[in-house]
Amino acid sequence: MHNDLDAGEEAPSTPEGESVAARVAFLIGGTGLFLAMATDAIAVLGRHTGFALLGSIEVVQACIVLIASSAMVFATLKGAHAAVHILTERLDLAMVARLARLSAVLSALMFLILAGGCLWLVADLWSGAERTELLHIPIVPLRLLQIVALLFIAALFLRTLFRRGTR
Amino acid sequence: MTPELIGLLGIAALLVLLAIGVPIGVGLAGVGLLGLAVLISPEAAVIKGGVIAFETVMKYELGVLPLFLLMAHLCFAAGASRDFFDVAARFVGHRRGGLALASIAGCAGFGAISGSSLATVATVGSAALPEMRRANYQPGFAAGALAAGGTLGSLIPPSGALIVFGIIAEQSIGKLFAAAIIPGLSQALFYMVAIGIMCYFRPALGPKSARVGWRDRLIGLGRIIDILLLVVFVIGGLMIGWFTPTEAASVGVVAALGLCVLRGAFNRRAIGDAVASTLRTAGMIYVVIIGAILFASFISVTGIADVMSQWVRDMHASPVLAIVFMALLLLLLGSFLDGLALMLLTTPIFLPIAVELGYSPIWFGIFLTRAMEIGFVHPPLGLNVYVIQGIAKDIPLGAIFRGIVPFLVADFFHLALIIAVPALTLWLPSVTGG
Amino acid sequence: EHVLTYASPYPPGHPFSRADREWMAEMERASGGRIAFRPYWSGALLSSDMSMEEIRHGVADIGLITPIYAKGGAHLLRVQSGFYGGVRDIAEQIAVYDCLAGRFSGFAKELHGLHVLAVQGGNFPGVLTRTRPIRHLEDFKGLRLRAQSDAVDVLKELGADPVNMPMSEVYSALAKGVIDGVIAPADTIKSLHFSEVAKHFTSIRFSRGAYPARAISDKAWRRLPQDLRDLLSDGRRTWEAALNRELLQAEADGIAFGRENGIDFASLPPEEQARFDGLYNRDAARQAERLRSIGIDGVPVFEAAQHLITTGSAGRCTRGGKL
Ligand code: NA
Ligand code: NA
């Protein structure tokens, strides 16, 4: 399983817009992490002292959507997506740049398709009152958050493409 | 074109994409989506993509991953990985190869906090490698010990790999964690024996350092007592049943925050860094998992898995032989595939075969994780090796890989032991009831 | 001639899947080989809570659907499965469902884009407890029980402490005493190895209703000629009979396995079961009432279901649903 140390390089520059985005992603993700922690911890405490926190799983699930969506944005901003470098580190720079552009296009396309699929589902379920079973937490806002995240990631990939293109 | 052929083309396309540096998750998802579009319909592929993308980010069981990551990062901020190594070094540093032994112990200790191999090697390595080089350890040997030791992080619970396995194989994560304890500790033991043997024959690999008195040893031990308590509390509480594995992660984060307060590391910067590292890693993992599930969905539609399991059945080989064959295949795949992707890809294919051969799914999860770990250190794509190289850029890759060879030998013996004696894995979960 | 994909989230050896395979074999035979199926098991193609959406969009032609697990778009289908308090057996569950589906347009609305190929009832869940047996409703007091969400309110009224946790963690939670018991049908004694971690099973009829469980997408339906559509429509009986048989068999296996492995079986005295049914029905009525907040009128459906069950007239209602 993977982890933290940047195997790759840090994003070359962090313009104003991206650092705002990073802060927003950081805040949403951090909120999700600590809210999930608190919910589960209180549920455990409750179980051992005799009060029930029914539906804690649903709260945690909602938090995970916050965590995962913002984490995917954050990882993209920090250039942390896992990739294999054995071949690319042996090629000349022009070739590497071309492959990087191709990779950015493919990545943007893939995230756009995922966002499209999510949008289609939201459209279908818009009037279906999708919500969790016990606490009735509405799910559509969570889906929308993820869609925004996916679209933003696609935009980030496209942006690296243009930035590299003009250079 | 038959579906099987499309599947093979898909696998080939994936390898090409990965080779040109496309992010792993993107490659997996892209081929998966395209394959489903060809085999079923573009509409179905897009919908399936949407379903999987949301299902994955709302999965309760997967939520433990970011929380365990946060716990490890907070412990790291509190200096846990350095202290584990320091204390071990005080106890065994004066022996031949003592600091290497201490590195393994440090990895095992930090492995009980961290769910990942790379995090373990990175954090313990950054403390231990400079120390060993100051003591004139041969660089390749020192780096090899750390790269191998790091893999303990993904077997000793909490284990990210086992969490993912538990989710795809629908097995209890608590049972898997219990099952991993003895294999994890024996793996550390195997490495220590390997270090002992190497240093016995070539003392220059790891020269002795000055002996530290018992007083200083105990003082050192006192310094990590809080971290040890945290480990015992989280892992123990999980085994006794105070909390479920999913809750253990949250309880662990609370305890780790307490540790930060206790050690004066509770400040905005430290907590912020831990959250940022957690999000960065978690985001990367989520993309890979979404991709891998989509790709696995495509592969299962092609029917390749059925063809492969039919081969195994047609071989009429003994179960052990079939498992050995699987191990070889995993090691081969592990030489160019990321560990997580490898697990997500092979579980749906291999698990049914293993169960049919009479192996328990719990045992198989440990076996798979163990085989996958070896892929973290063996060439050409041993990710741990690249992490080590990131810490010490002057050690050539070749030297690190050479330094790993003896540990790989230990790995093979250990893997053989796990295959030969399933009870090593299955005894503890049967006692604790998972 | 017509190859249809079939997908289920269950593994091929599951009782549901055995019934599915029996149905497929029968349809292939009855069509003289003009229909063939390509099955995908274990969730390879369909998820468990979005399967209706997936089939609508052609991910699979035919598939197992579980409106009772859907979080949106099928609230009436989900909640109505709790309207069957007092129902006698699986056949009656299905008959009541058919009447309701024929009479209330809300059912068809939630099933748009799909054609139902089989309706499924379920075994009655009971209570499996570790150490304290349940002989009377009073015994529920203070017990921490894992329960599906539709049973939560009733359990609270009985003084129990219902908890939610993933089914995959129930075994170890029972082993360690994190929970005192679980609401589950008897087949789990064997299939989920609960006999290793619990001692007592009390059959309490948490009445479970029927729900549409197998469906074909409208797209695939329109590709078929009329005679094959008729064949699949008639095949409903085959499928339902096979499901019914497999469900009962699984329950019998669970009970037999439990007896061999030291589970003690009990049931509530009839008057307590009746009291329980009363509680259960009041809760179902409340749930029907609450559907109004999302624009669904569940109360007439509940009343009709109870009328059909108390008068025993579900069998006389034709498939079209007219009384
Ligand atoms: Na670990
Ligand atoms: Na590898």
Side-chain angles (χ1 to χ4, degrees), chain C residues 64-82:
Chain C
L64 187 145
I65 58 173
T66 38
I68 49 170
Y69 300 141
K71 296 196 180 73
H75 287 297
L76 179 59
L77 292 173
R78 182 174 58 79
V79 175
Q80 66 86 30
S81 73

Side-chain angles (χ1 to χ4, degrees), chain B residues 61-214:
Chain B
E61 290 90 337
L62 207 51
V64 286
L65 254 174
L67 288 165
F68 270 131
L69 284 171
L70 183 59
M71 169 174 110
H73 285 298
L74 288 171
C75 288
F76 176 62
S81 44
R82 165 173 288 278
D83 287 0
F84 265 124
F85 170 74
D86 280 351
V87 172
R90 288 179 192 207
F91 275 82
V92 289
H94 61 285
R95 297 173 189 277
R96 276 184 196 164
L99 293 179
L101 295 176
S103 300
I104 300 292
C107 286
F110 195 68
I113 298 168
S114 155
S116 115
S117 170
L118 293 184
T120 307
V121 72
T123 51
V124 178
S126 61
L129 198 58
E131 207 62 38
M132 282 197 268
R133 300 194 73 183
R134 246 197 307 280
N136 281 324
Y137 274 52
Q138 197 216 51
F141 168 69
L146 279 166
T151 64
L152 289 167
S154 65
L155 187 59
I156 292 179
S159 155
L162 288 175
I163 293 170
V164 172
F165 176 82
I167 287 165
I168 25 183
E170 295 178 336
Q171 296 298 314
S172 152
I173 290 162
K175 266 194 181 183
L176 285 165
F177 279 6
I181 289 177
I182 294 179
L185 293 178
S186 60
Q187 184 190 347
L189 201 68
F190 268 57
Y191 288 159
M192 291 185 173
V193 170
I195 290 170
I197 295 174
M198 278 186 276
C199 291
Y200 179 80
F201 287 106
R202 293 184 54 198
L205 284 178
K208 300 176 180 180
S209 346
R211 176 186 278 273
V212 177
W214 273 101

Side-chain angles (χ1 to χ4, degrees), chain A residues 1-4 47-48 82 146, chain B residues 24 73 119 242 247 338 376:
Chain A
M1 174 112 335
H2 248 95
N3 194 319
D4 29 337
R47 210 168 48 229
H48 291 284
Q146 189 194 21
Chain B
I24 293 171
H73 285 298
W242 285 346
E247 292 163 346
D338 167 72
F376 271 108

Side-chain angles (χ1 to χ4, degrees), chain A residues 22-23 25-27 29-30 33-34 74 78, chain B residues 70 73-74 77 257 260 265-280:
Chain A
R23 183 152 316 152
F26 175 85
L27 285 177
L33 278 168
F34 288 110
F74 202 75
K78 300 288 170 189
Chain B
L70 183 59
H73 285 298
L74 288 171
L257 283 173
C260 286
F266 191 85
N267 54 59
R268 245 176 99 169
R269 199 193 151 89
I271 308 287
D273 283 352
V275 169
S277 307
T278 300
L279 290 179
R280 198 173 50 181

Side-chain angles (χ1 to χ4, degrees), chain A residues 1-2 82-86, chain B residues 10-11 13-19 22-25 27-28 288 292 295 299 329-347 349-350 371-384 386:
Chain A
M1 174 112 335
H2 248 95
V84 179
H85 294 291
I86 27 175
Chain B
I11 293 175
L14 175 67
L15 295 180
V16 171
L17 286 177
L18 295 187
V22 171
I24 293 171
L28 286 164
V288 175
F295 187 76
I299 288 294
L329 209 58
L330 286 168
L331 292 179
L332 186 73
L333 289 170
S335 59
F336 53 83
L337 263 186
D338 167 72
L340 182 60
L342 176 67
M343 172 159 276
L344 285 161
L345 277 182
T346 54
T347 301
I349 303 175
F350 287 168
M372 185 196 93
E373 279 184 327
I374 298 177
F376 271 108
V377 291
H378 82 63
L381 185 79
L383 284 169
N384 281 7
Y386 291 94

